[in-house]
Amino acid sequence: MYNCFDIAKYFIDLAKEEGQGIDPMKLLKLTYISHGWYLGITGNPLFENQVQAWKYGSVIPDLYYAIRMFGKDNVDPLLLSISAKNPIKEEDKEFLKKIWNNYKNLSGLQLSAITHEEGSPWSQTWDGTYNSVIDNSIIKDYYKEKLKK
């Protein structure tokens, strides 16, 4: 299993190939959304890190605290290289490329709005307190339902 930094670093690599950068919000949301789709499709988590419901959406705290210093600027890939420890398998690279191609033209705010939709794992979990863990089973069920549509 990967960690969130492995996935985030791969998204930065994909963006770099296209001459783009990724700001922290977009990177957080892409990483979370890829985890959701992976759970929905395979039934298994994409990464081991915890996902939490915060006031402004689904957050992977480990990733958030590592990249928040960039504010609205692009995340420096060297920072994530330190924590990205696991090489991504070819079949998972293909999966992540599909996620990238489907969502790359959306901003972090647009991706955040998607994660706030009615019935989303965030909306099912957010109770007004921080550190509310979004259980992988909730994420998996939500994305399985999205697959049916």
Side-chain angles (χ1 to χ4, degrees):
M1 186 183 314
Y2 307 108
N3 67 45
C4 62
F5 303 105
D6 301 322
I7 305 308
K9 173 73 169 66
Y10 190 67
F11 280 126
I12 289 176
D13 292 344
L14 290 173
K16 191 175 175 182
E17 286 175 15
E18 296 183 13
Q20 298 181 41
I22 301 180
D23 65 71
M25 182 185 288
K26 184 170 182 168
L27 187 58
L28 275 165
K29 299 309 175 187
L30 278 172
T31 304
Y32 165 72
I33 289 168
S34 66
H35 178 64
W37 282 116
Y38 199 84
L39 274 165
I41 293 167
T42 69
N44 298 311
L46 181 59
F47 53 78
E48 62 195 2
N49 309 78
Q50 188 178 80
V51 177
Q52 296 179 355
W54 289 9
K55 183 177 182 180
Y56 298 109
S58 305
V59 175
I60 306 156
D62 294 338
L63 183 57
Y64 171 80
Y65 289 118
I67 64 176
R68 71 179 175 175
M69 71 180 94
F70 294 101
K72 295 184 185 211
D73 295 328
N74 292 330
V75 175
D76 184 342
L78 289 178
L79 175 76
L80 290 180
S81 295
I82 295 165
S83 299
K85 308 249 186 254
N86 305 297
I88 305 226
K89 297 176 193 167
E90 284 307 312
E91 63 267 20
D92 293 333
K93 284 182 179 180
E94 289 307 310
F95 166 80
L96 292 170
K97 284 178 188 173
K98 288 178 184 174
I99 297 294
W100 171 251
N101 287 329
N102 282 323
Y103 293 100
K104 68 181 175 183
N105 294 320
L106 300 177
S107 69
L109 284 174
Q110 290 170 313
L111 293 172
S112 182
I114 290 170
T115 67
H116 281 80
E117 291 174 344
E118 182 74 28
S120 70
W122 175 83
S123 73
Q124 293 178 51
T125 307
W126 173 247
D127 62 3
T129 59
Y130 282 93
N131 303 327
S132 300
V133 175
I134 303 177
D135 193 87
N136 277 340
S137 64
I138 294 171
I139 300 170
K140 178 175 72 173
D141 291 346
Y142 177 76
Y143 280 89
K144 277 179 101 168
E145 278 302 310
K146 284 184 77 90
L147 276 173
K148 292 178 185 175
K149 295 178 182 174

